[in-house]
Amino acid sequence: MSTLERDPREGEVRVLDENGDVVGDAPDLSAEELLAMYRQMKLARRFDTRAVSLQRQGRMGTFPPMSGQEGAQVASAMALADDDWVVPSYREHAVSLVRGVSLERTLLYWMGDERGSRMADGVNVFPVAVPIASQIPHATGMAWANKLRNDDGTPDAVVCYFGDGATSEGDFHEGLNFAGVFDTPNVFFCNNNQWAISVPRSKQTASATLAQKADAYGFEGVQVDGMDPLAVYKVTEEALAKARDPDKGELRPTLIEAVQYRFGAHTTADDPSVYREDAEVEEWKAKDPIPRLERYLRGRDLLDDDRVADIEESVETEVADAIEAAESTTRPDPSSMFEHVYEEMTPELRAQAERFADLRERYGDEAFLDD
Amino acid sequence: MSTRQTEPTQNLTLVQSVRDALATEMEADDDVLVTGEDVGKNGGVFRATEGLFDEFGGDRVVDTPLAESGIIGTAVGMAAMGLKPVAEVQFSGFVYPGFDQIVSHMARMRARSRGRFTLPMVLRAPYGGGIRAPEHHSESKEAFYAHEAGLKVVIPSTPYDAKGLLISAIRDPDPVIFLEPKLIYRAFRGEVPEGDYEVPIGEAAVRREGSDVSVFAYGAMTRPAMEAADRLADDGVDAEVVDLRTVSPLDREAIVESFEKTGRAVVVHEAPKTGGLAGEITAIVQEEALLYQEAPVQRVTGFDVPYPLYAMEDYYMPNAARVAAGIEEAVEF
Ligand SMILES: Cc1ncc(C[n+]2csc(CCOP(=O)(O)OP(=O)(O)O)c2C)c(N)n1
Ligand SMILES: [Mg+2]
């Protein structure tokens, strides 16, 4: 069989099938952890839905939704240790949430407020990267630094998230190649949601899988069912263990290709009906990670109707509170745009800031707001 | 340039006229092809290539992998072989993975090969702020390209010019960077001839005649410049507004001619002040019309800060009020 004819998903790791029945080795997670995973996925879904409607109502700018991708995001993020780092793209709202970035902060960013890019101290999450794949070399550098700084041979890991489209950029190649050469403690987590805006995965590369690209860098590539949170947890946990403490002769980095689907538009500015069929969307919706995990948990008596209703209610409140907090945040002081450009303002910048203050005083803020 | 009365016209937005220029040239010349991210079936994220995929097929309207160095580098190769690629980069803020191809090859293949290989290619990208877009979607970096010998840099501000300038760019034997002010992609319509016509690259247009002060602008800034001029007319200030249309090569003659008439100038751009085109225009009037100068040249520009997220962008972007303040300073000096 030629590479192109091979079923690209034949080697994929799975734990749950589409009905939530166990078909592989489940990871070692407590009842509490499993319920937390479920709740975070429900929270992410509700957040996503509300965020899209905020945009529709003119209360927020363009937003990239992630519905369908909660399983891959929540489960992979839960596999990290406290000191590990996350380097996200722009769609990792649920990863960030799990790693301690508040929903309010995520909303602020998409509401056009720079303070949404300032992660709280102690939260090991890098700012969102919008230019595709540009964050991948950063993640390699961060992991490299962890390795150089580490004394006991088990450096903290750095997980980098990006999409299927990102694998076509030069930065993907350079970041992964450095990782192989310098044997850095990285997990490269590709959220293959089948589409890069309107370009399908099949047009992005002639490779049968994205995971196989790791072969060229000399380290392991794994394909996992990205809508199966337990399988995602398992492969991420294994990759992290290897990143910190590889076996003899084994390289630390792993490329994980989490095969999944974006249920919604690329962003609120996109109309997917122009380029993809509803039937395809429906087919993937049958693999929705949330009901899948829910059926598994119900089957083990960890969830019932009452508990699901409780979770739904608390999630609703949590999202509403975050929206309320973000919307009641005073808009940033316009003069703050001159801050943080340098440690110390240059004379030219200071002059511009003064000129700006002078114009505001003379003409009032209304003068800036009309067009 | 005005349209001949006899020619049939259509009432188009700027982005529709970009599309119309592409269709017109693809129809006329089989060597013209369009490449880029989401330009095919999707018709471009701003619909600048809408319908072209159905009309001309996937070999001439090509959805590429997500890779700007690939898009620009392959366009260089295709152009060297005699095709006329019009490559789209989805937003000017995403050109940078392909920057090496632009400065190391696109700009200088003619010079490097001593004229053996020439690159009749166009690189189109929407640019500029004001549409509440996410991070990296709003910058104005025309000065990067203007700084690069071997490139021409064109920025239309009307539907009529967009079509005529893009046709000129496609036909130009040298590589052209064609920056489209997305703030005014759909802000207004204009009469655009159905057939083909050229608006020459390197020629500015006087949008409003005046004798007291020259306002030099381009792209989306032409509108606030006009508005400021209109407002100040009530106060007895007679401002001339010159739309540069090409920022490299600049129309030195038009700049000097206007300045010799007024002796005062305001230059407007969204791009940051330091290293921006306003400095270049100021130098031109110094070099060629010093004795006409009656006031310091005013620069009304973006600030030297990373383009802010949209909560603050209205304070960053020059608008009519800021242009008017600049004009007042120039005339009151
Ligand atoms: C360097 C660069 N080029 C183009 C874009 C415009 N763009 C934003 S998202 C996107 C598609 C990304 O697809 P993928 O990597 O699969 O991630 P997904 O959005 O599907 O999560 C494109 C082309 C960009 N942000 N950065
Ligand atoms: Mg994708």
Side-chain angles (χ1 to χ4, degrees), chain B residues 153-206:
Chain B
V153 187
V154 174
I155 306 181
S157 77
T158 68
Y160 179 89
D161 282 359
K163 179 171 178 180
L165 283 166
L166 184 51
I167 289 175
S168 296
I170 295 170
R171 294 177 184 174
D172 199 290
D174 283 310
V176 177
I177 306 275
F178 195 83
L179 297 172
E180 299 165 9
K182 61 181 175 293
L183 177 63
I184 54 171
Y185 255 163
R186 298 187 173 81
F188 54 92
R189 288 169 179 274
E191 290 303 311
V192 174
E194 276 174 17
D196 75 300
Y197 61 96
E198 293 183 18
V199 171
I201 292 175
E203 271 186 26
V206 176

Side-chain angles (χ1 to χ4, degrees), chain A residues 61 109-112 114 131 168-169 196-198 204 275 331 334 337 348-349 352 355 363 365 367-368 370-371, chain B residues 38 42 65-68 90 135-137 227 273 303-305 308-312 314-315 319 321 325 328-329:
Chain A
Y109 178 76
W110 296 103
M111 288 175 172
E114 325 286 335
S168 297
E169 288 280 10
I197 310 186
S198 72
Q204 203 59 248
Y275 55 79
R331 293 307 259 173
M337 81 175 125
E348 170 63 28
L349 195 54
Q352 290 184 25
R355 162 101 182 134
Y363 298 99
D365 277 357
F368 292 89
D370 74 13
D371 38 42
Chain B
D38 306 290
N42 196 39
L66 207 176
E68 291 74 14
Q90 203 160 79
E135 204 177 354
H136 305 289
H137 287 71
E227 200 185 311
K273 184 178 176 192
F303 300 110
D304 291 356
V305 303
L309 294 186
Y310 73 78
M312 292 193 285
D314 288 344
Y315 292 91
N319 65 358
E328 277 169 347
E329 266 171 73

Side-chain angles (χ1 to χ4, degrees), chain A residues 69 90-91 162-166 190-197 199 201 204 262 266, chain B residues 66:
Chain A
Q69 305 189 216
Y90 44 84
R91 205 183 292 283
F162 49 88
D164 43 302
C190 178
N191 281 313
N192 170 10
N193 62 7
Q194 309 305 323
W195 293 92
I197 310 186
V199 179
R201 155 58 191 90
Q204 203 59 248
R262 135 165 91 70
H266 167 71
Chain B
L66 207 176

